[in-house]
């Protein structure tokens, strides 16, 4: 047998960039007709549950059993909607996970705060120091939800989110204003108030910074703006609650605050960037193009 003098074929190892692009190109869950139909049905059920909750409160008052059961439903439905709508690309997996945990803990907070109202239906007009452990636990669940949302907005969806310190100034300034309003009326549970406002202000800051750091198309940036608007509405909701409880109670303040709360949760849920283009071409902007303005889309074969 003779010696084979042919030059052996060099084994080409995939680069880190190629591996990242391969992950980007990994097929996600397609937004098929059944999934679209399920999303539409869940959205309809979501709004029906909101209307049912307000009808139950209007007809039976804050302490009726139907309202207590229905209060967590709108947010819980969004939790079921999330994997159908949002979980379609590896780049958004962590973002979706934190949003999902936030929705779950928000639903728990809804249930606990409603149980508190059931125990003392007049407590909504009393100073905050009258709140019982059930209410405090519910507020703590909301705090955990805001931390999860903040983590999602900080991690981003495929590219490092810029710090953008100046973007945080209006949120922290607004949060400090709300905190000062509370301090003039009560000092009980002030540490919980401080932690809550710091987290909520940070959430708004990171949501706004996320919109400036996303490298996708205009349509994708529009979805991320939902996070910034939703975070801002959370702050506005708390402002209404503080004004109503400590300063000048006004009619239907509870209804307006609840509407803003539900809208905020809906916007945060739909802030996940999707593959909006028919051929998903806009997702190529997650990675750096090569000098020929193309994107490597395959891993070199061994």
């Amino acid at each position: 047998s003779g010696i084979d003098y042919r030059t052996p074929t060099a084994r080409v190892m995939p680069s880190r960039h190629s591996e990242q692009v391969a992950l980007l190109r990994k097929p996600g869950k397609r937004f098929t007709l059944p999934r679209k139909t399920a999303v539409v049905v869940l959205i309809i059920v979501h709004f029906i549950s909101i209307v049912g909750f307000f009808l139950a409160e209007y007809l039976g008052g804050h302490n009726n059993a139907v309202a207590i059961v229905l209060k967590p439903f709108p947010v819980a439905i969004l939790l079921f909607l999330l994997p159908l709508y949002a979980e379609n690309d590896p780049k958004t997996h962590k973002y979706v996970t934190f949003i999902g945990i936030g929705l779950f803990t928000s639903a728990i907070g809804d249930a606990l705060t409603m149980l508190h109202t059931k125990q003392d239906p007049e407590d909504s007009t009393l100073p905050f120091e009258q709140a019982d452990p059930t209410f405090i636990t519910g507020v703590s669940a909301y705090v955990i939800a805001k931390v999860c949302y903040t983590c999602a907005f900080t991690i981003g969806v495929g590219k490092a989110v810029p710090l953008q310190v100046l973007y945080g100034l209006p949120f922290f300034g607004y949060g400090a204003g709300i905190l000062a309003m509370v301090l003039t009326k009560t000092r009980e549970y002030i540490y919980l108030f401080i932690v809550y406002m710091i987290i909520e202000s940070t959430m708004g800051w990171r949501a706004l910074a996320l919109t400036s750091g996303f490298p996708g198309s205009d349509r994708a940036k529009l979805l991320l703006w939902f996070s910034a608007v939703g975070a801002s509405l959370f702050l506005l909701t708390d402002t209404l609650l503080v004004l109503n409880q400590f300063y000048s109670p006004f009619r239907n303040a509870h209804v307006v605050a609840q509407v803003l709360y539900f809208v905020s949760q809906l916007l945060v849920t739909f802030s996940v960037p999707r593959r909006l283009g028919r051929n998903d071409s806009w997702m190529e902007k997650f990675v750096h193009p090569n000098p020929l303005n193309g994107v490597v889309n395959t891993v070199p074969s061994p």
Side-chain angles (χ1 to χ4, degrees):
S1 59
I3 300 176
D4 189 356
Y5 291 100
R6 290 177 297 174
T7 303
T9 303
R11 182 179 178 87
V12 180
M13 299 299 294
S15 65
R16 182 178 180 183
H17 173 73
S18 299
E19 291 175 347
Q20 292 175 345
V21 176
L23 177 63
L24 173 65
R25 294 289 184 172
K26 182 180 178 181
K29 296 178 182 179
R30 297 296 179 184
F31 203 40
T32 59
L33 181 60
R35 293 183 70 195
K36 292 178 182 178
T37 304
V39 168
V40 172
V41 170
L42 286 175
I43 292 175
I44 294 174
V45 175
H46 170 76
F47 284 110
I48 291 176
S49 64
I50 292 176
V51 173
F53 165 72
F54 285 124
L55 283 176
E57 283 210 323
Y58 176 76
L59 297 176
H62 293 306
N63 61 334
N64 80 86
V66 178
I68 294 174
V69 172
L70 287 179
K71 176 62 186 295
F73 261 69
V75 175
I77 292 170
L78 294 179
L79 183 60
F80 286 101
L81 183 148
L82 194 64
L84 292 171
Y85 167 80
E87 187 67 27
N88 75 319
D89 189 87
K91 288 290 185 180
T92 62
H93 178 71
K94 292 181 179 179
Y95 187 94
V96 172
T97 299
F98 278 108
I99 296 297
I101 298 173
L103 290 173
F104 178 74
T105 53
S106 293
I108 293 176
D110 291 339
L112 291 175
T113 52
M114 286 301 291
L115 287 175
H116 157 75
T117 306
K118 172 69 174 177
Q119 294 169 4
D120 190 352
E122 300 298 326
D123 197 46
S124 59
T125 60
L126 294 176
F128 187 81
E129 56 264 26
Q130 300 291 332
D132 60 20
T134 303
F135 184 79
I136 300 302
T137 306
V139 173
S140 300
Y142 288 139
V143 170
I144 296 174
K146 303 300 173 57
V147 170
C148 291
Y149 293 157
T150 303
C151 290
F153 303 151
T154 302
I155 292 174
V157 287
K159 182 181 178 181
V161 181
L163 190 60
Q164 301 289 14
V165 176
L166 294 179
Y167 286 11
L169 295 181
F171 290 101
F172 283 102
Y174 192 85
I178 298 177
L179 189 60
M181 294 169 62
V182 174
L183 283 173
T184 60
K185 297 297 182 178
T186 181
R187 295 298 177 94
E188 295 291 333
Y189 300 103
I190 190 60
Y191 294 110
L192 181 60
F193 271 114
I194 293 175
V195 171
Y196 190 87
M197 293 315 304
I198 290 176
I199 292 174
E200 198 162 68
S201 300
T202 304
M203 178 184 65
W205 167 36
R206 300 320 301 154
L208 188 59
L210 179 60
T211 63
S212 68
F214 185 71
S217 66
D218 291 338
R219 290 178 295 177
K221 288 181 179 179
L222 177 61
L223 292 176
L224 283 177
W225 271 103
F226 286 173
S227 66
V229 176
S232 300
L233 290 181
F234 277 127
L235 280 169
L236 182 58
T237 302
D238 293 334
T239 304
L240 288 176
L241 294 176
V242 169
L243 290 175
N244 183 63
Q245 185 156 339
F246 294 116
Y247 285 88
S248 178
F250 58 96
R251 189 176 181 182
N252 296 325
H254 171 73
V255 175
V256 175
Q258 289 294 338
V259 169
L260 291 176
Y261 169 76
F262 287 134
V263 172
S264 301
Q265 296 284 16
L266 186 66
L267 289 174
V268 170
T269 301
F270 281 94
S271 68
V272 183
R274 288 190 48 80
R275 294 190 175 206
L276 300 177
R278 183 174 181 180
N279 297 320
D280 301 341
S281 59
W282 66 273
M283 291 295 289
E284 294 177 354
K285 295 185 179 182
F286 272 110
V287 296
H288 299 291
N290 62 26
L292 298 178
N293 293 324
V295 177
V296 180
N297 56 16
T298 59
V299 177
S301 302

